[in-house]
Amino acid sequence: MERSSEEGVAPDEEDGDQAARWIMTPDRSEDEGVEVTPACNPSKTASQGGGPDLSRDILAIRPWEGLVYQDQEEPERKTGPNISRGVMSEGGGEVVEPERDAPSVSPFSLTDTCAPSISSLSSYSSTHHHANFSSSSSSSSLSLTPPLPPSVELSAVLTDTKVTLDVYQGGAAALPLLWGSIPGQLKGLQYLRLGSEDKAGLDGALDVLPHLTQLCSLAIRGHYFYDSQGDPLPGLLTTLPTSISSLSLLVHLDLSFNQLSFLPPCLLSLPMLSSLLLCHNRLSALPPDIGQLSTLTYLSLLGNQLVSLPPSLGQLKALQTLDISYNHLQHLPDEIGYLGELVKLELSHNKLNQLPETMGSLLSLRELVIYSNNLRLIPHCLNKLPLLKIDVRDNPLGKPPTPPPLPPTSDQAETTIPELHLGFNQHSFCVSSAGCHVFLPGGAELLFPPGCLEKTKRLEWVERRPERKWVWLEEHDILLSRPLELRPHGITFLKPVEVCVPYHRTKRREVVVRKFDGQSWSTLSTVLRRGNESHSSHPGGRPARLACCSVNQFSWFMAVSRPVKDSCSVTPAGALLVSTSDPGIKLHFPPDSTVQTRAITLQVLQVSVSEVQALCGDPQASVSPLLCLSQTPNIHFLQPIKVQVPLPSGVTGHTVDKSCLHLLHGDPTAQTWTDITSQVSLYVTHLYAIFYITHFSWYWLWYTTQRCVSGVVRKVYQKLKQFKVQFFVLQRKTDPSQVLLQCLPANKVEVRVQSLAEQYEGPQPSDVCDLLEGEQFFAGFERGLDIIADRPDCVGGRLRFEFYSSLKNLKEVYISPAQGQKGPVRGQVSFYRGEIPSNLPEEVARKRKGHDSQWLATLPLRLPALNSENNYIMEEVTYPPLNLGDPESGYLTEANLLSISLQIGQDWRVIGINLGLSYTELDRIQYKHRDNLGALVLDMLFHWARGQSNAGPGAVSRLVAAMVESGRRDLADEIEDILNLGRRKYTESLRRVGLEAESPSLGETQQ
């Protein structure tokens, strides 16, 4: 499978939809199995040293385009540098790729851009520690003026000598508040992390930084948070104030994912700066005096716009790691050979044509990454470095220079292809021999090249509902788009037509386009790209993500995500297949393992260990990634195949109890799992488990103390495939007969309901249920409600749905009272399972049979009564009659309650409980006014007041008591003042009309 073009961009461009609970964040430390010096392994160094974990402070996400392999078992060759892929060096010696058991880079590891040595930073910090911070418990008791934002808890951001404000959106704004309230504690601050997505908060934080003179580590980064469309929020830092130069103890500085177009001059005045990360900014050049950073040991400029490097870079004598990948460099200065302490040099994804001969002087260099450049030869000087390992993939090594392109002839002169933008009601269009670029509603694009048709033809498009007859998913697949049908099906184009299907974000999975020709499905070679800038599928947003394929005939097309599929061909000479999603997973095919060439496919599913522990009830359980192996033809191998997988998270070769280690064999057809530990040769190294097999299927390594492992694994696997979903039913506020029904994964429901709150209202979402990708379910309107039954998706009076986790699963219908119903209707909507998926095991399918087991959830739905004009009688909000109270305790007017409600704020729930309201009532009020605190408090007060009409005298006294019990003595005193003022005015009015004698008790009370 070709790697898509989108995989070459920064990880923030990757996608955010998840596969059932196949969580793509391995619990295993990503540093394991990597040959690194302690200086490049900050997470371990910090933890061993007892200091705070600064790994996140010093990591910058780098794009992934390939693997650099290192051999843990074979001694390093002394005859010359190792070059991956077995390329020929200029000297003519053949470099053979040895077997490797441990990768040096993980595709999702952040170690490539880690700062060199945090252990040294930690020891330095302890030496220069001048101020002791209070503990977390004491920090939480501090009272700040003004207070921190509601989402920020002081105990969570302030610990010892470290302040962490990048875990809250806009958290940088809290730094000035902390400085204004506890400057004494902040003066000893050594570690500080800030997000840079909020400009106002960032500016305030920058004003405080010069006062934090004890800082040793500072991170001001973007891309910590995401917008409503799932795109990362950019950092807004454009420069630093000159006063930053006062941070004379600063050792580590991370300014990644910002908008720096030049290096702030103040950085050149930091005398102890050791690690500088400027990844993913807009730097086009470095200052000529960058050599002043003489103490720098780590410099990352990954993902900028550099076209050249200044000669003064050679003055960085202490530099050990230099990362300039993903830039536009065409050459390197000769002075780079002066970096005598350089250990690792990253130059991948540039435009380098040659390397300077002075690089032969880099005697400390151990790793040179130069893949994806324009290098045609490796200089002889690098042969003098016997310990050097080089990655030279994706370079035209040994090939002659590409001749310049010939000038285009008159027939080849570039022509402008006309564009055609269609509306939602335009389902047909014409294309001539001149070609056309067609933009469909929703973001899809069709590119017809000139000459693809001999004469003008009318074509049609239809976006189908994702019904089962239009959708085909393999195991672990996720549907990302609705099926797109292009007609006529029989038409054949003279040139391939590009069909681009829009898809939703998908995280760390492969996106492909599937085609249905009316009889069978096929997977097409797919390229991922962004849509046209002038044709955004999001209002005012970025263009859609497109999965593009080239076809010669029209048919049905859809985008699907699946676990990354790695393939290779195995010949009698043997082969090595390494997973691109987890380089620690390898398949070694020895010579003579097959007579005929076989096509091998490897898929890896990362599994959340915490989910497995919760599902199997074993807090000590841990699992390795799940391997899905297949081959064509499907026959046994002649020699055992060596399979290497990482040990389950938290388990090492020194601590493993082999009696708890189980290798499970899965049958994808029968959906069964068998413990084959005793049937295979299984042994462990420090980081990996190695076993030998002759048959390909599914393999899963478990570490658990439970018995009957096969049964446990079967149940856990089925649970992991299911999505936790919720149903919700909302009515349009202006027309209650218009009902919206939707089913979404539980983690998306709250945001979705909030986005609909202005136009819709209804009951709270249902409890969490389990559904499989593509599973069918129905919605039935009951207890006096009815819908139009002649809809194509209505079966037996119920609406049919198919659940797809990345789609909306939404329908909007009109309801009416059932025949014979008069007045308001209090009905309900119930959701039921539909047809049982064919791929469920027998025991699971058996549990879902029967009426009760088909029910999923029920939600109430109310339809108002109709008036004489056949319109719904809309109820308006009514409040209890006021004045509230009685002659003995006094009265409160509506204006009084409104004034009190404005001061209650976040204490509304405690006050409501002390007033006697139930938790259910408070939850309903909170859901109804979840976006308006003022309306929420007022509704709570009036809801309570409405119930006082039958509660007897003393309502105001109960309100005062509730305020006191809730810790709001200020409001209780205010209510008492209002009552006293009311009594005095009442007495004065009696005196004016001469009725004072008739109510002496009131006069005495006033006196």
Side-chain angles (χ1 to χ4, degrees):
M1 178 59 64
E2 297 181 2
R3 303 292 295 180
S4 66
S5 60
E6 187 168 289
E7 292 189 53
V9 298
D12 56 275
E13 289 294 313
E14 295 295 336
D15 228 335
D17 287 314
Q18 62 279 67
R21 282 182 288 171
W22 299 110
I23 307 299
M24 299 305 172
T25 53
D27 292 37
R28 157 178 299 273
S29 170
E30 310 238 73
D31 294 333
E32 292 183 1
V34 183
E35 291 184 3
V36 293
T37 64
C40 284
N41 200 348
S43 61
K44 292 183 179 180
T45 307
S47 62
Q48 292 171 357
D53 181 8
L54 297 181
S55 58
R56 185 176 175 187
D57 292 53
I58 61 175
L59 301 182
I61 301 174
R62 62 162 298 152
W64 172 246
E65 263 306 323
L67 304 175
V68 182
Y69 305 117
Q70 295 181 2
D71 186 12
Q72 288 186 335
E73 298 178 356
E74 183 172 334
E76 294 176 334
R77 302 179 183 273
K78 304 297 183 181
T79 58
N82 291 337
I83 303 179
S84 64
R85 294 293 177 95
V87 299
M88 300 289 292
S89 68
E90 185 181 347
E94 182 177 2
V95 183
V96 181
E97 180 183 26
E99 278 190 326
R100 302 171 177 89
D101 286 334
S104 66
V105 179
S106 172
F108 310 116
S109 174
L110 306 179
T111 57
D112 285 352
T113 50
C114 66
S117 179
I118 292 304
S119 59
S120 60
L121 186 150
S122 300
S123 61
Y124 170 84
S125 302
S126 61
T127 306
H128 291 75
H129 179 60
H130 299 293
N132 292 324
F133 274 40
S134 61
S135 65
S136 300
S137 59
S138 61
S139 299
S140 60
S141 64
L142 291 172
S143 177
L144 301 183
T145 305
L148 292 175
S151 62
V152 181
E153 296 181 5
L154 182 59
S155 61
V157 300
L158 176 60
T159 58
D160 296 333
T161 59
K162 184 174 182 178
V163 170
T164 304
L165 296 174
D166 57 352
V167 294
Y168 304 95
Q169 188 166 347
L175 186 61
L177 301 180
L178 291 171
W179 177 254
S181 299
I182 50 174
Q185 287 184 280
L186 290 194
K187 286 181 179 179
L189 189 65
Q190 297 181 18
Y191 306 96
L192 176 61
R193 293 185 353 202
L194 301 172
S196 56
E197 73 284 345
D198 176 35
K199 181 63 175 173
L202 178 62
D203 291 341
L206 292 178
D207 293 337
V208 176
L209 287 182
H211 303 288
L212 309 180
T213 56
Q214 299 299 313
L215 271 183
C216 298
S217 176
L218 173 62
I220 307 176
R221 294 178 38 146
H223 282 208
Y224 278 123
F225 303 97
Y226 295 83
D227 59 19
S228 58
Q229 299 174 3
D231 295 319
L233 295 175
L236 303 179
L237 182 68
T238 57
T239 187
L240 289 175
T242 56
S243 54
I244 294 295
S245 59
S246 63
L247 304 180
S248 58
L249 301 181
L250 195 63
V251 177
H252 168 261
L253 179 61
D254 185 354
L255 303 176
S256 303
F257 296 101
N258 280 294
Q259 301 181 25
L260 297 173
S261 57
F262 61 91
L263 189 69
C266 60
L267 299 186
L268 303 177
S269 303
L270 299 175
M272 304 194 69
L273 189 61
S274 174
S275 303
L276 179 59
L277 289 86
L278 299 168
C279 312
H280 300 288
N281 277 278
R282 301 176 180 177
L283 300 175
S284 58
L286 297 178
D289 50 354
I290 193 174
Q292 295 182 23
L293 295 172
S294 57
T295 58
L296 209 58
T297 61
Y298 183 93
L299 177 60
S300 178
L301 299 164
L302 178 150
N304 281 278
Q305 303 169 14
L306 298 174
V307 295
S308 63
L309 299 176
S312 59
L313 190 71
Q315 300 176 18
L316 304 178
K317 302 296 185 180
L319 196 62
Q320 297 178 12
T321 300
L322 177 60
D323 188 348
I324 331 174
S325 52
Y326 288 87
N327 279 278
H328 308 301
L329 299 177
Q330 297 184 7
H331 61 87
L332 298 177
D334 292 337
E335 288 77 6
I336 200 169
Y338 299 159
L339 303 177
E341 299 297 322
L342 196 62
V343 176
K344 182 176 181 180
L345 180 57
E346 286 266 4
L347 298 169
S348 60
H349 289 276
N350 278 284
K351 301 178 181 179
L352 296 173
N353 297 312
Q354 61 181 5
L355 300 177
E357 289 288 339
T358 56
M359 291 183 63
S361 303
L362 301 177
L363 300 181
S364 299
L365 193 62
R366 294 295 180 268
E367 186 173 350
L368 177 61
V369 182
I370 52 176
Y371 64 82
S372 296
N373 278 282
N374 297 325
L375 298 172
R376 300 184 183 277
L377 57 86
I378 303 297
H380 286 290
C381 62
L382 296 182
N383 291 328
K384 303 176 184 178
L385 308 176
L387 299 180
L388 178 63
K389 296 181 179 180
I390 312 177
D391 187 353
V392 297
R393 291 169 298 142
D394 298 328
N395 280 286
L397 292 173
K399 297 182 181 180
T402 304
L406 298 175
T409 62
S410 57
D411 296 337
Q412 297 174 334
E414 185 177 353
T415 58
T416 302
I417 300 179
E419 294 185 355
L420 178 61
H421 296 260
L422 301 181
F424 282 98
N425 296 324
Q426 296 176 282
H427 288 277
S428 65
F429 56 93
C430 292
V431 177
S432 66
S433 59
C436 187
H437 194 171
V438 181
F439 298 90
L440 303 181
E445 298 182 15
L446 306 175
L447 181 58
F448 299 87
C452 66
L453 291 171
E454 292 183 348
K455 57 182 181 180
T456 301
K457 289 190 177 180
R458 177 169 293 276
L459 307 175
E460 298 177 352
W461 70 276
V462 178
E463 192 174 58
R464 296 288 185 183
R465 293 180 180 273
E467 299 176 359
R468 291 189 177 182
K469 61 180 178 180
W470 309 119
V471 176
W472 173 67
L473 299 177
E474 295 180 341
E475 192 81 9
H476 312 129
D477 284 356
I478 302 294
L479 181 65
L480 299 181
S481 71
R482 299 179 69 173
L484 176 64
E485 182 182 4
L486 301 176
R487 299 192 294 241
H489 298 161
I491 188 173
T492 300
F493 298 101
L494 302 178
K495 294 182 179 180
V497 173
E498 186 179 49
V499 177
C500 298
V501 181
Y503 68 92
H504 297 274
R505 292 173 63 93
T506 178
K507 191 174 184 180
R508 297 182 183 178
R509 293 169 66 91
E510 186 177 35
V511 179
V512 295
V513 175
R514 291 233 172 94
K515 172 188 173 183
F516 180 57
D517 59 9
Q519 296 181 347
S520 61
W521 287 90
S522 59
T523 301
L524 306 179
S525 177
T526 307
V527 175
L528 307 182
R529 66 173 176 86
R530 282 283 186 178
N532 191 285
E533 291 291 339
S534 61
H535 183 66
S536 173
S537 63
H538 307 295
R542 302 172 66 181
R545 290 178 171 84
L546 298 178
C548 303
C549 60
S550 296
V551 298
N552 290 314
Q553 290 184 331
F554 272 178
S555 186
W556 291 266
F557 303 90
M558 67 178 186
V560 172
S561 77
R562 65 184 184 187
V564 176
K565 183 174 289 188
D566 298 296
S567 304
C568 74
S569 295
V570 178
T571 65
L576 169 67
L577 178 59
V578 181
S579 168
T580 55
S581 62
D582 188 340
I585 298 175
K586 300 180 182 181
L587 304 180
H588 297 258
F589 299 87
D592 300 324
S593 60
T594 180
V595 175
Q596 61 188 109
T597 301
R598 306 191 190 194
I600 304 299
T601 299
L602 164 65
Q603 287 182 296
V604 178
L605 277 79
Q606 301 287 355
V607 183
S608 168
V609 173
S610 59
E611 290 285 350
V612 170
Q613 293 173 348
L615 292 173
C616 69
D618 182 3
Q620 306 299 323
S622 186
V623 296
S624 69
L626 170 61
L627 305 188
C628 300
L629 308 177
S630 60
Q631 60 170 328
T632 304
N634 189 17
I635 54 178
H636 284 53
F637 288 94
L638 303 179
Q639 299 287 341
I641 308 304
K642 178 183 176 183
V643 181
Q644 173 186 295
V645 296
L647 285 171
S649 178
V651 179
T652 66
H654 297 307
T655 62
V656 62
D657 180 357
K658 292 187 178 180
S659 64
C660 299
L661 200 61
H662 302 270
L663 180 63
L664 281 301
H665 170 274
D667 185 339
T669 303
Q671 296 279 301
T672 58
W673 291 89
T674 305
D675 190 347
I676 60 170
T677 310
S678 60
Q679 305 173 26
V680 299
S681 175
L682 174 66
Y683 65 95
V684 298
T685 65
H686 179 58
L687 297 174
Y688 299 99
I690 297 174
F691 57 92
Y692 293 84
I693 57 175
T694 58
H695 173 69
F696 271 8
S697 187
W698 292 355
Y699 294 93
W700 203 358
L701 190 64
W702 272 61
Y703 188 83
T704 180
T705 58
Q706 289 194 351
R707 299 180 180 179
C708 190
V709 179
S710 299
V712 172
V713 173
R714 182 171 61 252
K715 295 178 181 178
V716 169
Y717 176 77
Q718 290 302 326
K719 282 291 185 181
L720 288 174
K721 287 176 57 179
Q722 296 175 345
F723 288 84
K724 295 296 184 181
V725 303
Q726 287 180 279
F727 305 91
F728 58 91
V729 179
L730 302 175
Q731 293 174 275
R732 188 173 288 273
K733 293 180 179 179
T734 57
D735 184 2
S737 64
Q738 188 175 348
V739 177
L740 180 147
L741 304 94
Q742 193 166 8
C743 172
L744 288 176
N747 60 336
K748 299 180 180 181
V749 170
E750 182 177 358
V751 175
R752 175 61 176 167
V753 172
Q754 288 179 356
S755 67
L756 297 171
E758 291 187 4
Q759 298 179 345
Y760 294 86
E761 61 183 358
Q764 296 189 47
S766 70
D767 292 335
V768 176
C769 305
D770 293 329
L771 283 179
L772 294 165
E773 181 79 5
E775 184 170 0
Q776 194 174 77
F777 66 93
F778 293 87
F781 292 84
E782 303 166 346
R783 296 182 60 184
L785 296 179
D786 201 359
I787 62 169
I788 300 175
D790 58 356
R791 296 169 52 107
D793 58 348
C794 191
V795 179
R798 295 178 176 179
L799 288 176
R800 184 182 68 243
F801 291 77
E802 282 82 21
F803 170 75
Y804 294 103
S805 58
S806 293
L807 302 186
K808 292 183 178 180
N809 311 306
L810 176 148
K811 293 188 179 182
E812 202 158 4
V813 298
Y814 283 93
I815 62 174
S816 60
Q819 188 173 5
Q821 287 283 343
K822 295 182 180 180
V825 178
R826 295 183 180 272
Q828 65 185 27
V829 180
S830 294
F831 295 90
Y832 301 90
R833 298 187 188 276
E835 180 183 349
I836 299 174
S838 58
N839 59 347
L840 277 181
E842 181 180 353
E843 65 270 17
V844 177
R846 184 168 54 248
K847 292 179 181 179
R848 293 192 175 188
K849 293 179 181 179
H851 177 74
D852 292 339
S853 62
Q854 299 293 85
W855 174 82
L856 290 167
T858 296
L859 296 173
L861 202 60
R862 187 175 185 275
L863 199 59
L866 294 171
N867 58 20
S868 58
E869 298 177 356
N870 211 29
N871 295 323
Y872 289 103
I873 303 174
M874 305 298 293
E875 293 186 1
E876 298 183 358
V877 178
T878 59
Y879 293 110
L882 293 176
N883 297 329
L884 175 67
D886 53 78
E888 288 76 15
S889 59
Y891 290 95
L892 290 178
T893 66
E894 181 177 347
N896 298 147
L897 279 183
L898 178 60
S899 175
I900 294 169
S901 70
L902 296 176
Q903 303 177 59
I904 290 178
Q906 298 293 339
D907 296 327
W908 70 273
R909 193 175 187 89
V910 177
I911 294 173
I913 293 173
N914 289 324
L915 285 173
L917 299 181
S918 67
Y919 288 100
T920 303
E921 291 173 319
L922 293 175
D923 288 341
R924 181 190 60 77
I925 294 172
Q926 183 179 17
Y927 183 80
K928 182 178 180 181
H929 303 286
R930 52 190 171 276
D931 299 321
N932 189 335
L933 180 61
L936 185 152
V937 175
L938 195 60
D939 192 5
M940 182 272 294
L941 280 179
F942 277 100
H943 178 75
W944 168 77
R946 189 180 300 114
Q948 298 307 301
S949 59
N950 299 322
V956 178
S957 300
R958 287 190 288 271
L959 179 60
V960 172
M963 294 298 179
V964 174
E965 292 175 8
S966 304
R968 296 303 302 268
R969 185 71 205 186
D970 57 327
L971 293 180
D973 292 341
E974 182 174 336
I975 296 173
E976 291 286 2
D977 292 340
I978 294 173
L979 294 177
N980 291 334
L981 180 61
R983 293 190 190 102
R984 185 166 58 251
K985 290 183 177 180
Y986 180 66
T987 302
E988 292 175 354
S989 65
L990 291 179
R991 184 181 297 115
R992 284 196 300 270
V993 297
L995 297 178
E996 182 179 6
E998 297 181 10
S999 55
S1001 60
L1002 287 178
E1004 294 173 1
T1005 303
Q1006 178 60 30
Q1007 294 174 2

